[in-house]
Amino acid sequence: MASETVKKILAAEAESDKKNSEARKRRDDIITEASGKSSLAVQKRISEASSEAAKFKSELDKKAEAYRKNAEAKCEEKMEKIRSHAKHNMDKAVDAVIERFF
């Protein structure tokens, strides 16, 4: 009777060890799968963020180019006014010199 009880205890321990081993393996499989999925999710988010950043950069580049062209046009307009005033003043100066000496 005692030996049968010992056999049952040993069988229960063996069954317990087997179930623990299976549980550990399942746990490891779940962790590995979750890790793989999280890596893919992180890579996907990084890719999406890179695309979004490229889109923003492109928009900013377009705005910067428009601003540059506008600033250049305004500068050219102001320079033309300055040239016109300078020419007018030069004409006046030449006329004054001519009047004075002739």
Side-chain angles (χ1 to χ4, degrees), residues 9-33:
I9 291 171
L10 291 175
E13 284 180 348
E15 185 67 23
S16 174
D17 288 343
K18 181 181 172 187
K19 287 187 179 189
N20 281 336
S21 176
E22 288 172 0
R24 280 190 206 99
K25 184 180 180 326
R26 187 155 190 266
R27 178 202 64 199
D28 292 344
D29 290 345
I30 290 170
I31 289 170
T32 301
E33 182 180 346

Side-chain angles (χ1 to χ4, degrees), residues 3-57:
S3 69
E4 196 161 314
T5 303
V6 170
K7 284 181 186 178
K8 285 182 182 180
I9 291 171
L10 291 175
E13 284 180 348
E15 185 67 23
S16 174
D17 288 343
K18 181 181 172 187
K19 287 187 179 189
N20 281 336
S21 176
E22 288 172 0
R24 280 190 206 99
K25 184 180 180 326
R26 187 155 190 266
R27 178 202 64 199
D28 292 344
D29 290 345
I30 290 170
I31 289 170
T32 301
E33 182 180 346
S35 177
K37 286 181 180 178
S38 68
S39 292
L40 288 175
V42 167
Q43 288 174 353
K44 182 179 177 185
R45 289 297 293 149
I46 288 172
S47 176
E48 289 171 355
S50 295
S51 292
E52 195 72 16
K55 179 181 163 189
F56 285 140
K57 184 185 180 308

Side-chain angles (χ1 to χ4, degrees), residues 24-93:
R24 280 190 206 99
K25 184 180 180 326
R26 187 155 190 266
R27 178 202 64 199
D28 292 344
D29 290 345
I30 290 170
I31 289 170
T32 301
E33 182 180 346
S35 177
K37 286 181 180 178
S38 68
S39 292
L40 288 175
V42 167
Q43 288 174 353
K44 182 179 177 185
R45 289 297 293 149
I46 288 172
S47 176
E48 289 171 355
S50 295
S51 292
E52 195 72 16
K55 179 181 163 189
F56 285 140
K57 184 185 180 308
S58 176
E59 289 173 7
L60 287 174
D61 287 346
K62 287 177 186 174
K63 287 180 182 179
E65 181 62 19
Y67 179 81
R68 185 194 63 76
K69 285 181 180 179
N70 187 36
E72 192 174 274
K74 285 182 179 180
C75 285
E76 190 59 40
E77 184 180 311
K78 286 181 181 180
M79 287 174 58
E80 191 55 42
K81 285 181 183 178
I82 291 169
R83 281 188 202 107
S84 175
H85 286 296
K87 184 179 181 325
H88 181 70
N89 288 341
M90 179 65 90
D91 290 344
K92 280 183 170 179

